[in-house]
Amino acid sequence: MTRSEERRDPRRPVSVWRSQDLVDGRPAQALTMILRTVGCRWNRCTMCGYAGEGAPASADDLIIQFESAMEKCSPEVTVVKIYTSGSFLDSEEMPAGARIEILRRLENAGIEKLIIETRPEYVNPDAVEECLSHLQTEFAMGLESANDLIREHLIRKGFLFQDFVRASEMVHGQGGGVKAYLLLKPPFLTEGQAMRDAISSARAARPYADIISLNLCNVQRNTVVERMWEKGEYRPPWLWSALEVLKSSPGPIICDPVGAGTRRGPHNCGQCDAALAEAIRKHDLTQDARPFDDLHCQCKEAWQKLMELEEQSFGTPLC
Ligand code: SF4
Ligand SMILES: [Zn+2]
């Protein structure tokens, strides 16, 4: 099998890893698996390149992927996160038979909590009940921004804040948990606009989400964001902006600074990126933002100046 065939093998998960995460206010051992499905049915968001990971996986293939991921499980693991780079509750992506079998096997394995991702349109009473009848479940939704104009026109997400609210209230009404993903920094916004939008979105989403997860935009392949980045029209967020959002948002709020310090990922000057990424990871477990005040670097002034100048640049990013 060639490497590219291996990458598209419908019987292999995209990736699997173990981590210590903040779950229900305390650290817990988690197993995360990204299952390779046919991909997200929406597939239009301007920053999303997940379509490149898809393969036409059948129900049997998905159970084989799940079992191979569970080989990394051990008795300390209490939380399993199943991501599909799409919607676990969409039966075109995750056939109902495979979903029910996976839920049953997780329950039998004694897993306490499951976290899945889904778009809000697939959240309905039957789907929610199906999960909750097997184990405690958190439904993670990519709200990205609480601002409908930003979500609709800059991210092209295809649903309204009210759709997220409806899904969240349904989940809560049935006894499940909700996680809202927010995006720092959608294309077409200045650094300051993006930062302020993430903070106001966290405040608006808070009543409907048990936990907020801040995603720092990465430049993924074959996306609108990548085309803009190649032309110098997009810069991923500064890590200083991420600290500001984490400091100013109502908790609990977590953030995995994926790709921090790389050109395609959130970055500062290159000198301080590792220290800031480490502080962000620590904050996940402690929820204590005070150590952020001890972080210093010469580039902080440049970041502040850039935000002032960008306000006057009529939408041109100053990278
Ligand atoms: S961000 Fe989510 S909803 Fe948007 S295309 Fe990607 S997987 Fe689909
Ligand atoms: Zn720096």
Side-chain angles (χ1 to χ4, degrees):
M1 197 179 272
T2 65
R3 285 191 66 187
S4 99
E5 278 168 347
E6 254 177 43
R7 276 205 298 271
R8 292 298 193 111
D9 183 352
R11 298 181 156 214
R12 274 175 190 243
V14 176
S15 53
V16 185
W17 69 90
R18 290 267 299 266
S19 58
Q20 210 191 19
D21 288 11
L22 184 77
V23 180
D24 298 332
R26 57 193 165 86
Q29 279 291 326
L31 175 76
T32 304
M33 59 182 83
I34 302 184
L35 300 185
R36 195 183 304 283
T37 67
V38 67
C40 172
R41 219 193 297 187
W42 177 252
N43 193 23
R44 275 179 231 172
C45 299
T46 50
M47 75 304 187
C48 180
Y50 291 149
E53 294 173 351
S58 66
D60 288 347
D61 292 336
L62 286 159
I63 292 168
I64 290 169
Q65 289 186 41
F66 168 78
E67 279 305 328
S68 114
M70 285 297 276
E71 282 168 15
K72 290 217 170 125
C73 201
S74 68
E76 316 79 82
V77 171
T78 54
V79 179
V80 168
K81 300 191 264 183
I82 301 185
Y83 298 153
T84 60
S85 306
S87 296
F88 184 76
L89 300 184
D90 176 5
S91 296
E92 276 196 12
E93 196 187 329
M94 171 62 65
R99 189 165 55 234
I100 292 166
E101 187 55 28
I102 287 172
L103 291 166
R104 204 181 56 76
R105 291 187 188 194
L106 286 169
E107 186 182 12
N108 290 344
I111 299 301
E112 289 173 20
K113 180 162 186 165
L114 168 67
I115 302 177
I116 55 107
E117 291 175 333
T118 184
R119 286 176 59 88
E121 61 260 39
Y122 304 117
V123 175
N124 61 57
D126 291 345
V128 173
E129 181 50 32
E130 186 177 270
C131 296
L132 294 176
S133 65
H134 289 281
L135 70 174
Q136 198 195 342
T137 309
E138 183 173 272
F139 299 79
M141 289 180 269
L143 174 66
E144 318 300 359
S145 167
N147 180 316
D148 282 340
L149 288 177
I150 291 177
R151 190 177 342 84
E152 190 52 34
H153 297 290
L154 310 191
I155 304 176
R156 224 159 54 197
K157 196 81 193 182
F159 65 79
L160 299 172
F161 185 65
Q162 265 316 309
D163 298 323
F164 162 75
V165 169
R166 177 204 62 83
S168 159
E169 287 178 341
M170 187 181 293
V171 168
H172 281 145
Q174 292 182 240
V178 172
K179 180 191 280 176
Y181 292 118
L182 296 179
L183 180 70
L184 177 74
K185 139 187 195 191
F188 308 104
L189 292 184
T190 64
E191 190 77 19
Q193 286 169 336
M195 199 175 76
R196 290 192 295 276
D197 176 63
I199 295 169
S200 60
S201 295
R203 291 179 184 155
R206 188 67 193 87
Y208 307 102
D210 304 289
I211 186 163
I212 288 169
S213 175
L214 181 70
N215 285 346
L216 311 181
C217 193
N218 267 264
V219 179
Q220 297 181 5
R221 304 212 181 264
N222 303 318
T223 58
V224 171
V225 165
E226 185 185 52
R227 287 199 291 281
M228 292 177 65
W229 174 74
E230 280 165 347
K231 288 194 246 162
E233 293 168 357
Y234 180 80
R235 184 206 190 276
W238 286 70
L239 290 163
W240 292 121
S241 305
L243 295 192
E244 270 321 295
V245 177
L246 295 173
K247 268 195 321 202
S248 312
S249 300
I253 180 165
I254 55 173
C255 174
D256 181 3
V258 177
T262 64
R263 284 180 61 236
R264 283 178 177 263
H267 62 273
N268 284 353
C269 67
Q271 302 290 315
C272 60
D273 299 66
L276 266 74
E278 187 51 30
I280 290 172
R281 286 192 192 99
K282 277 201 185 133
H283 173 271
D284 266 14
L285 294 178
T286 63
Q287 293 293 295
D288 180 5
R290 283 171 300 180
F292 291 166
D293 295 333
D294 300 331
L295 294 164
H296 301 287
C297 182
Q298 285 179 344
C299 72
K300 191 168 184 183
E301 231 173 87
W303 163 74
Q304 280 162 336
K305 195 80 205 150
L306 170 125
M307 280 197 294
E308 281 168 32
L309 292 172
E310 269 192 348
E311 298 298 321
Q312 295 154 30
S313 73
F314 302 100
T316 308
L318 306 172
C319 293

